Amino acid sequence: MKSSLTLFRIFGIPVTVDLSLLILLFILVSSFGSLPLGIMAGLILLVSILLHELGHSLVSMAFGGKVRDIRLMMLGGCATMTAMPKKAWQEILMAFAGPFVSIMLAGISFILFYSCLIPHLGNETLSLRGFWEISLMCTFPSNLPKVPFVCFVSAHAAWLNVALFCFNMLPAFPMDGGRILRAMLQQFFTTRLKATWIASRLGRFVAILMGLHVLYSALTGSFRDFMFIRLMIALMIYQTAEREYLMALAEAHGTRRNPFAGFPFFSRGRRPPPDDGQAIVSPPPYDRGTTRVDIHKDDSE
C-alpha cells in the first residue's frame, strides 16, 4: 500500500503528500475546535512549507543539484535531492533559501494584515508594539468573531512563517541552520567531514534538549497537542544527523570512526595490542578485521 500520493508537478518537481498528514489535520482541528478552521490552518501550513522547500529546490537546481521530489508530511516538508551543490558557499545559499522564503511570506502576510486593519483604526495611531500584539491576538480562534476573517488568516500566516523561519534556523543539523553551520565551517575552518561531524553532534544535542522539554511538559501537566509532533521531530533530527554524517563519511571513503581521532580531546586512545609473539597483518585500527599469524625466527642461517 502506498503511503504517499503525488498531487502535481511544479518546475518539473513532483509534489507528494504523505498519509501522516491526516494525523496533523486531526491535531489542527482539535486545537482550533472547528473543522473549517483546522482545514484552513492546514492549507496555510502546507502552502508555506511547500514554498519553503521550493526555495531550497530551485536554488539547488540553479547550482546543478537534482531534486527527486518534494514531500509534505506530518513532520513538515522534505525536498529529496539526489545531487547536492558541492561548494560550501552554494550550500549556504541553498540552505538559507527556504528560511528566506518563509520570512518573505511572513512580511507579505503582515502587510496584508495591516492593510485590512487600517479601516478599523480610524484616526487612531498604532505603535509597532501594538501592531505585534494585535496581530498575535488575531491568531487565536476565540477572537475570530471580533476580527475580520481576512485579518485572522493573514495574521495566522504571518506568525506561522515567523515560527518556520526561527525553527528552521536552529543550528540543529540537518535542519537549515545546521546545514548553514556545516557549510560555514567547511568554507572557513575545516574539512567537510569534520564540519559534518561537528554539526551532526550539535544537532543531536539540540534534539535531546527538545525531547527533554517535551518530557518536562508532560511531567508538569502542560503537554499540548503539538508536543507529540515536536517529540517526533526531535527523534527525526537525532537519527538523521547520524545518517548524514555517515553519508559524508562514505563520500570521503572513510571508515566509521571519529574524524578527530589523534587530537587529545577527541581521541579514543586506541593502542596496538600487546607483544604476544604474533604479528598483525592488517593496518590500524588493530581491533577490527585483523588476522594474527605466528612469527618464527629461522636459526638455520
Side-chain angles (χ1 to χ4, degrees):
M1 180 179 177
K2 294 181 63 176
S3 62
S4 61
L5 175 67
T6 301
L7 294 181
F8 54 85
R9 289 177 174 267
I10 181 169
F11 295 102
I13 306 171
V15 177
T16 65
V17 293
D18 194 89
L19 293 180
S20 61
L21 280 176
L22 295 176
I23 301 176
L24 177 61
L25 180 61
F26 174 78
I27 294 175
L28 288 172
V29 170
S30 61
S31 299
F32 280 81
S34 168
L35 180 60
L37 290 182
I39 293 176
M40 181 275 302
L43 288 175
I44 293 176
L45 178 61
L46 292 182
V47 170
S48 299
I49 293 176
L50 172 60
L51 294 176
H52 178 105
E53 297 299 331
L54 191 60
H56 289 309
S57 301
L58 293 180
V59 173
S60 176
M61 291 167 63
F63 292 131
K66 297 180 180 180
V67 183
R68 188 182 69 188
D69 59 25
I70 295 176
R71 189 169 187 176
L72 306 176
M73 48 193 172
M74 180 184 68
L75 302 182
C78 175
T80 305
M81 299 184 184
T82 57
M84 292 275 289
K86 297 300 182 183
K87 297 181 179 179
W89 66 269
Q90 294 175 345
E91 185 174 3
I92 292 175
L93 293 179
M94 183 204 69
F96 185 68
F100 177 76
V101 170
S102 294
I103 205 65
M104 290 298 294
L105 290 175
I108 294 172
S109 299
F110 276 126
I111 293 173
L112 179 60
F113 173 77
Y114 183 73
S115 64
C116 73
L117 191 65
I118 290 177
H120 301 275
L121 293 177
N123 296 325
E124 298 181 13
T125 57
L126 186 64
S127 65
L128 184 60
R129 180 178 178 180
F131 173 76
W132 299 135
E133 291 177 349
I134 291 175
S135 63
L136 188 59
M137 179 192 68
C138 289
T139 61
F140 294 100
S142 57
N143 296 322
L144 185 56
K146 307 172 187 177
V147 299
F149 185 73
V150 177
C151 289
F152 171 75
V153 172
S154 57
H156 183 79
W159 284 109
L160 172 65
N161 279 281
V162 168
L164 285 175
F165 173 83
C166 295
F167 184 71
N168 279 280
M169 286 301 291
L170 289 175
F173 189 81
M175 295 175 64
D176 299 335
R179 289 195 178 278
I180 293 172
L181 173 64
R182 191 268 296 270
M184 292 184 67
L185 289 173
Q186 178 187 351
Q187 180 72 27
F188 299 108
F189 299 105
T190 186
T191 64
R192 181 179 180 83
L193 180 60
K194 291 182 179 180
T196 305
W197 189 90
I198 295 172
S200 65
R201 268 46 191 176
L202 183 58
R204 300 189 102 181
F205 176 72
V206 173
I208 292 173
L209 291 182
M210 291 173 62
L212 291 176
H213 179 260
V214 174
L215 178 62
Y216 174 79
S217 301
L219 295 177
T220 56
S222 57
F223 192 88
R224 297 293 183 267
D225 295 330
F226 287 97
M227 289 294 183
F228 171 72
I229 293 182
R230 186 176 301 176
L231 180 62
M232 296 300 295
I233 291 176
L235 180 61
M236 180 191 69
I237 292 173
Y238 188 86
Q239 293 177 336
T240 309
E242 179 67 9
R243 187 162 62 246
E244 290 271 353
Y245 167 64
L246 293 179
M247 289 173 59
L249 198 59
E251 291 175 358
H253 306 290
T255 57
R256 186 171 183 175
R257 62 178 179 84
N258 187 332
F260 289 90
F263 288 82
F265 180 77
F266 294 101
S267 176
R268 293 184 180 181
R270 285 182 178 168
R271 295 172 301 206
D275 184 7
D276 55 3
Q278 292 183 319
I280 301 296
V281 297
S282 63
Y286 301 96
D287 56 348
R288 288 189 180 181
T290 59
T291 301
R292 290 176 176 268
V293 295
D294 292 326
I295 300 297
H296 301 280
K297 182 179 180 181
D298 188 357
D299 298 325
S300 61
E301 297 180 358

